[in-house]
Amino acid sequence: MAHFVNPFTDIGFKIIFGQPASKELLITLLNELLAGEHHIEDLTFIDKEDNSDNVNDRGIIFDLYCLTSSGEYIIVEMQNRWHSNFLDRTLYYLCRAISRLIERPITDEVDLPTGGNEADTVGEAPPRYGDRYKLSTVYGIFLMNFKETKLEPKFRTDAVVADRENGRVVNPHFRQIFLQFPYFTKRLEECETLYDKLIYALKNMNEWNRMPDALKEQVFKHLERLAAVANLSEANRVAYDKAVDRYYVNRIYEEDMQDRVENAMREGREKGKLEDAQNLKHLGVSMDIIAKATGLSMEDIEKL
């Protein structure tokens, strides 16, 4: 058992970021992610389940769901395994969160006075139709312990609603940040910013027996206290042990499946080379040229 919890287990992630004591750490991570765009002073954890009125939409549970002191909503999710339609699901999560911001409709029809003039009208002006659609910004931040083939092969992808031609942001209230951890390959000595150090720690801390001396910032002392397995309550320790078992079983299964896929692809390529060589041989192409074209040895070609 490692000294620190694995943040890529469901309960490990919640221990590090999802309890009241971890609010300061979460704010630091979010501010590093949004540096130069937005600064969070404080946030509140809110109900992680979207209790939708539509039965088909019930049971949507976010890992973390937060409201900042300046009114932005933030969904943070850790996803350990790839699954089909992952990007569609993240889009649905944000759309559901946005739609819940519009809680009560404004009637389309407004009662107008039948006589007199505007000066005789008493009371406030009726709300305008478009007022109901004034939205807060919703951020979706997805920490991914896998590579998503529909994203660019890089660590961070920022998705916005933008003009396709010039890239100008059309609506600033919709933001998605995808972090593909397998693409983060920096060594500790290459991590110069707090942002890089936090990402490095999250990716590697499960293998450490103590916090590296190079991570001197106060936030890592806080992380060390929160994430130490020895500091877990008895209930959290039992739940965490089960989560770790599931994590390693899943990893073994995925590695086995990946090996099978790679072997099948390799066998397919070899079979394709042999078929190509055989066709070329039937056409009377010299063995020298066949060997250069397919990469097969003369001996393999002679056997065809």
Side-chain angles (χ1 to χ4, degrees), residues 242-259:
K242 291 180 180 178
V244 168
D245 288 342
R246 289 195 302 272
Y247 173 83
Y248 284 114
V249 167
N250 288 337
R251 298 305 284 185
I252 291 170
Y253 171 77
E254 287 170 359
E255 288 171 6
D256 179 59
M257 287 300 295
Q258 185 175 3
D259 288 342

Side-chain angles (χ1 to χ4, degrees), residues 32 57 70 104 114-115 139 148 198 217 226 241 266 289:
E32 290 300 313
D57 292 333
S70 50
R104 56 183 181 183
T114 56
Y139 291 94
E148 170 55 64
L198 281 167
E217 290 85 350
L226 282 172
D241 287 346
R266 185 162 48 249
I289 293 175

Side-chain angles (χ1 to χ4, degrees), residues 57-86:
D57 292 333
R58 288 178 186 166
I60 301 171
I61 301 177
F62 312 120
D63 284 350
L64 294 176
Y65 195 23
C66 315
L67 175 63
T68 72
S69 55
S70 50
E72 295 81 21
Y73 289 84
I74 301 179
I75 296 168
V76 187
E77 184 188 68
M78 183 281 301
Q79 184 69 27
N80 186 47
R81 299 177 63 190
W82 176 89
H83 65 73
S84 59
N85 303 313
F86 172 75

Side-chain angles (χ1 to χ4, degrees), residues 121-135:
T121 303
V122 179
E124 298 180 357
R128 293 171 299 178
Y129 171 76
D131 289 347
R132 65 176 292 199
Y133 296 106
K134 183 175 176 60
L135 299 175

Side-chain angles (χ1 to χ4, degrees), residues 2-285:
H3 182 78
F4 299 110
V5 299
N6 186 339
F8 293 103
T9 59
D10 50 1
I11 189 169
F13 181 79
K14 292 179 178 73
I15 287 169
I16 295 172
F17 292 112
Q19 53 181 323
S22 41
K23 185 166 74 168
E24 178 185 342
L25 180 62
L26 178 60
I27 289 174
T28 300
L29 175 64
L30 295 176
N31 279 334
E32 290 300 313
L33 286 171
L34 302 176
E37 175 184 347
H38 184 65
H39 184 80
I40 299 169
E41 295 290 343
D42 196 11
L43 58 77
T44 304
F45 293 106
I46 55 180
D47 187 2
K48 295 189 289 294
E49 184 166 1
D50 179 2
N51 296 307
S52 174
D53 295 331
N54 185 337
V55 67
N56 293 323
D57 292 333
R58 288 178 186 166
I60 301 171
I61 301 177
F62 312 120
D63 284 350
L64 294 176
Y65 195 23
C66 315
L67 175 63
T68 72
S69 55
S70 50
E72 295 81 21
Y73 289 84
I74 301 179
I75 296 168
V76 187
E77 184 188 68
M78 183 281 301
Q79 184 69 27
N80 186 47
R81 299 177 63 190
W82 176 89
H83 65 73
S84 59
N85 303 313
F86 172 75
L87 295 182
D88 288 345
R89 182 173 62 78
T90 64
L91 177 62
Y92 177 68
Y93 272 16
L94 253 68
C95 290
R96 284 297 306 144
I98 290 171
S99 70
R100 299 299 288 174
L101 299 180
I102 306 172
E103 294 181 353
R104 56 183 181 183
I106 296 175
T107 57
D108 293 336
E109 296 181 3
V110 177
D111 292 331
L112 298 175
T114 56
N117 54 42
E118 292 183 4
D120 298 324
T121 303
V122 179
E124 298 180 357
R128 293 171 299 178
Y129 171 76
D131 289 347
R132 65 176 292 199
Y133 296 106
K134 183 175 176 60
L135 299 175
S136 300
T137 300
V138 178
Y139 291 94
I141 298 172
F142 303 95
L143 287 70
M144 305 153 57
N145 196 24
F146 61 91
K147 297 177 180 178
E148 170 55 64
T149 56
K150 293 179 181 177
L151 294 175
E152 290 293 313
K154 59 180 182 177
F155 171 60
R156 176 169 175 164
T157 298
D158 287 62
V160 297
V161 179
D163 185 308
R164 189 181 215 176
E165 184 176 352
N166 58 31
R168 186 179 67 83
V169 174
V170 174
N171 191 318
H173 298 302
F174 180 97
R175 287 276 276 103
Q176 287 177 295
I177 299 175
F178 299 99
L179 304 176
Q180 299 181 86
F181 274 75
Y183 288 115
F184 186 87
T185 57
K186 288 186 177 182
R187 300 188 301 272
L188 180 55
E189 57 269 26
E190 297 174 313
C191 297
E192 299 178 354
T193 65
L194 180 58
Y195 170 72
D196 280 346
K197 291 177 182 178
L198 281 167
I199 299 301
Y200 179 86
L202 290 176
K203 182 173 182 178
N204 297 286
M205 61 187 291
N206 183 55
E207 301 174 1
W208 299 340
N209 289 320
R210 66 182 186 87
M211 197 66 63
D213 294 335
L215 301 178
K216 299 176 181 178
E217 290 85 350
Q218 183 64 33
V219 66
F220 294 107
K221 295 179 181 178
H222 190 36
L223 176 61
E224 187 172 24
R225 289 192 299 271
L226 282 172
V229 173
N231 292 340
L232 299 182
S233 67
E234 183 177 350
N236 276 347
R237 180 59 184 267
V238 171
Y240 177 67
D241 287 346
K242 291 180 180 178
V244 168
D245 288 342
R246 289 195 302 272
Y247 173 83
Y248 284 114
V249 167
N250 288 337
R251 298 305 284 185
I252 291 170
Y253 171 77
E254 287 170 359
E255 288 171 6
D256 179 59
M257 287 300 295
Q258 185 175 3
D259 288 342
R260 292 186 186 186
V261 170
E262 289 176 356
N263 288 336
M265 292 175 64
R266 185 162 48 249
E267 290 173 3
R269 287 194 294 269
E270 291 302 318
K271 184 180 179 181
K273 288 180 182 179
L274 291 171
E275 290 176 350
D276 289 343
Q278 193 168 34
N279 291 333
L280 292 170
K281 195 172 183 181
H282 286 160
L283 292 171
V285 178

